[in-house]
Amino acid sequence: MAYQRSTLMQERLADNRQRIVLAARGLIARGGFREASITAVAAAAGLSTGAIYRYFPSKADLFVEVLTDAVRRECALLRELIARPGTASARLCAAVESFAKRALEGPHLAYAFIAEPADPEVEAARILCRQEFSDVFKTVLSEGVASGEFPKQSVEVAAACIVGAFTEALVRPVAPTTRRVDDRKLVAAIVDFCHRAVAGVPSPSRRSRAAPR
Amino acid sequence: MAYQRSTLMQERLADNRQRIVLAARGLIARGGFREASITAVAAAAGLSTGAIYRYFPSKADLFVEVLTDAVRRECALLRELIARPGTASARLCAAVESFAKRALEGPHLAYAFIAEPADPEVEAARILCRQEFSDVFKTVLSEGVASGEFPKQSVEVAAACIVGAFTEALVRPVAPTTRRVDDRKLVAAIVDFCHRAVAGVPSPSRRSRAAPR
DNA sequence: AAAAAAAGTGAAGCGAGCTTCACAAATTTA
DNA sequence: TAAATTTGTGAAGCTCGCTTCACTTTTTTT
């Protein structure tokens, strides 16, 4: 009869796989791709180097999964925010702000995901991830345009621009010995930019939010 | 008699050395340290790999020189701006703006210089470079405090904070397929931040500069 | 419990890139 | 021009990290 894994065994395997991904993500967050050698990942996951290759055909494939896994979670969160009740404007800002804040919590990780030079395979995965982000924002833009809240525009292009603005403005890898620029200000500025770009107005509500507190 | 290099020969050697440094800088600007292999540097400089080691004892030493060379030029420019006539406030802003603008012209290079994970030797050189930048700003801060233009403060710490703010806010490596956030806005925001931090006032002159144009 | 199948190990294979070295070319001295 | 010295070459050496593989351990089937 064909070999059949018990549920306990299946869980253990799934757990191993997850631990590998988490170990890789942790190492990347600490020191970029440089730190995430297979040896280091294996050690951090409590496995031998050979075991890694039972779960992933290559290092690049592992990195691609780390990337897409993180992006999937991120997109799910954003979709949830965007699906909530409220004006398109408010929901867009909430999504942008949420994304920006989280990216700033792990700037080194964000940099690795967005721009650190990597294998062609990983670069290819990045394109797809950008597209996924773009699609999320396209939803709320379309709704805003349909309701007349936003002026008529190419939501396809606008969504891509928002993602582009993120990735350009957000990535600030860790500078070890220095203090950070105030994250909230940066987030507010990015939210502001995106909102203005889409809504086509100076957005006084934004200004009043940025100033006090 | 002892061997003596002719001036022509000396010039050729100096030229070779300079070409190596420039080649390395160019490659780093294009694709980070990853692209700047000794083979690639040698090819770009029009020399053999072995020749590189007549000018630099190791790859790390070459990178350190690329770094310190660029920083030296940058600091010279900043010192010049700071030495000009005008209020401490204006000179500080001019220096910050100048620095920020130039960094944004080559974000990948800036990232490599400021934060890309590298050899310990290069990291050590970074600390010294930060110190050098810090010292430049300390000058104008001291003058501002002495003249009563800035409130009393630790210029040592404040200068370090300014450099820290830069390095955190500026580094935005290239995102290949997307358009950039408006550089001028980012520069203005950084100038604004630094000025406010030092002068301790909302700086209405800054606001009026950021809005129009 | 024995056999079969899968999962896990870690040392060895392998390639890429830094570095060295024996040799060639060029430059300076005599 | 010949000898001495320095500079330049590029293939070979070496190291490091990804990947593989023969073998052990664990899990499943009979």
Side-chain angles (χ1 to χ4, degrees):
Chain A
M1 192 192 177
Y3 183 96
Q4 188 93 3
R5 284 191 283 252
S6 69
T7 46
L8 198 76
M9 189 62 185
Q10 277 191 33
E11 277 169 24
R12 202 167 63 80
L13 291 180
D15 182 61
N16 277 352
R17 189 185 177 91
Q18 191 60 22
R19 261 209 332 284
I20 293 170
V21 171
L22 289 178
R25 183 161 79 200
L27 288 166
I28 292 172
R30 287 176 47 84
F33 293 136
R34 183 188 180 77
E35 291 282 313
S37 70
I38 288 289
T39 313
V41 171
L47 290 168
S48 66
T49 60
I52 304 291
Y53 288 83
R54 278 201 179 274
Y55 296 89
F56 300 93
S58 76
K59 192 190 180 188
D61 285 78
L62 168 58
F63 282 4
V64 166
E65 176 146 337
V66 171
L67 173 62
T68 54
D69 183 66
V71 169
R72 191 181 309 118
R73 291 166 184 277
E74 191 67 31
C75 282
L77 272 169
L78 293 182
R79 270 194 222 93
E80 198 190 313
L81 283 177
I82 281 175
R84 285 184 185 172
T87 64
S89 187
R91 289 179 291 143
L92 171 65
C93 289
V96 171
E97 186 172 341
S98 163
F99 179 91
K101 277 186 177 167
R102 233 160 314 106
L104 290 177
E105 282 170 16
H108 221 308
L109 186 66
Y111 171 73
F113 283 168
I114 291 169
E116 183 171 356
D119 295 343
E121 278 189 65
V122 179
E123 299 286 359
R126 268 189 198 136
I127 309 293
L128 295 177
C129 289
R130 281 167 187 277
Q131 186 61 48
E132 195 173 343
F133 276 120
S134 188
D135 287 346
V136 173
F137 286 101
K138 208 171 81 175
T139 307
V140 69
L141 291 185
S142 297
E143 291 172 8
V145 171
S147 72
E149 199 179 334
F150 298 152
K152 208 159 185 233
Q153 61 191 285
S154 163
V155 292
E156 190 84 42
V157 172
C161 286
I162 287 180
V163 174
F166 277 5
T167 59
E168 286 290 344
L170 270 181
V171 176
R172 313 170 318 162
V174 178
T177 58
T178 55
R179 212 147 289 175
R180 282 198 194 168
V181 168
D182 187 332
D183 282 357
R184 283 172 307 178
K185 279 182 187 165
L186 183 58
V187 171
I190 291 167
V191 171
D192 207 29
F193 173 87
C194 291
H195 180 270
R196 214 167 40 234
V198 170
V201 296
S203 74
S205 67
R206 298 288 99 212
R207 165 155 290 182
S208 67
R209 178 194 277 192
R213 186 177 291 253
Chain B
M1 189 190 179
Y3 185 94
Q4 187 95 1
R5 282 190 284 253
S6 69
T7 47
L8 200 75
M9 189 62 184
Q10 279 191 32
E11 278 167 23
R12 202 167 64 81
L13 292 180
D15 183 62
N16 277 353
R17 189 186 176 90
Q18 191 60 23
R19 265 212 326 286
I20 293 171
V21 171
L22 288 178
R25 183 162 78 200
L27 288 166
I28 292 172
R30 287 177 47 84
F33 293 137
R34 184 188 180 77
E35 291 282 313
S37 69
I38 288 288
T39 314
V41 171
L47 290 167
S48 65
T49 60
I52 303 292
Y53 288 83
R54 278 201 180 273
Y55 297 88
F56 300 94
S58 76
K59 191 190 182 188
D61 286 78
L62 168 57
F63 282 4
V64 167
E65 177 146 337
V66 171
L67 172 62
T68 53
D69 184 65
V71 169
R72 192 181 308 118
R73 291 167 183 276
E74 191 67 31
C75 283
L77 272 169
L78 294 182
R79 269 194 222 94
E80 199 191 314
L81 283 176
I82 281 177
R84 284 184 185 171
T87 63
S89 186
R91 289 179 290 144
L92 171 65
C93 288
V96 172
E97 185 172 342
S98 163
F99 180 91
K101 276 185 177 166
R102 230 156 321 106
L104 290 175
E105 282 168 17
H108 221 310
L109 187 66
Y111 171 72
F113 283 169
I114 292 170
E116 183 172 356
D119 295 343
E121 277 189 67
V122 178
E123 299 286 359
R126 266 188 200 138
I127 308 293
L128 295 177
C129 288
R130 280 169 187 276
Q131 186 60 50
E132 195 173 344
F133 275 121
S134 189
D135 286 345
V136 173
F137 286 101
K138 207 171 82 174
T139 306
V140 69
L141 290 186
S142 297
E143 291 172 8
V145 171
S147 74
E149 199 180 334
F150 298 153
K152 209 159 185 238
Q153 62 191 284
S154 162
V155 293
E156 190 83 42
V157 172
C161 286
I162 287 179
V163 175
F166 277 5
T167 57
E168 285 291 343
L170 271 181
V171 176
R172 312 171 321 164
V174 178
T177 58
T178 55
R179 210 148 292 176
R180 284 198 194 169
V181 168
D182 187 331
D183 282 356
R184 283 172 306 178
K185 279 180 188 166
L186 183 57
V187 171
I190 291 167
V191 171
D192 208 28
F193 172 86
C194 290
H195 180 270
R196 214 167 39 236
V198 170
V201 297
S203 75
S205 66
R206 298 288 99 213
R207 164 156 290 180
S208 66
R209 178 194 275 191
R213 186 175 292 249

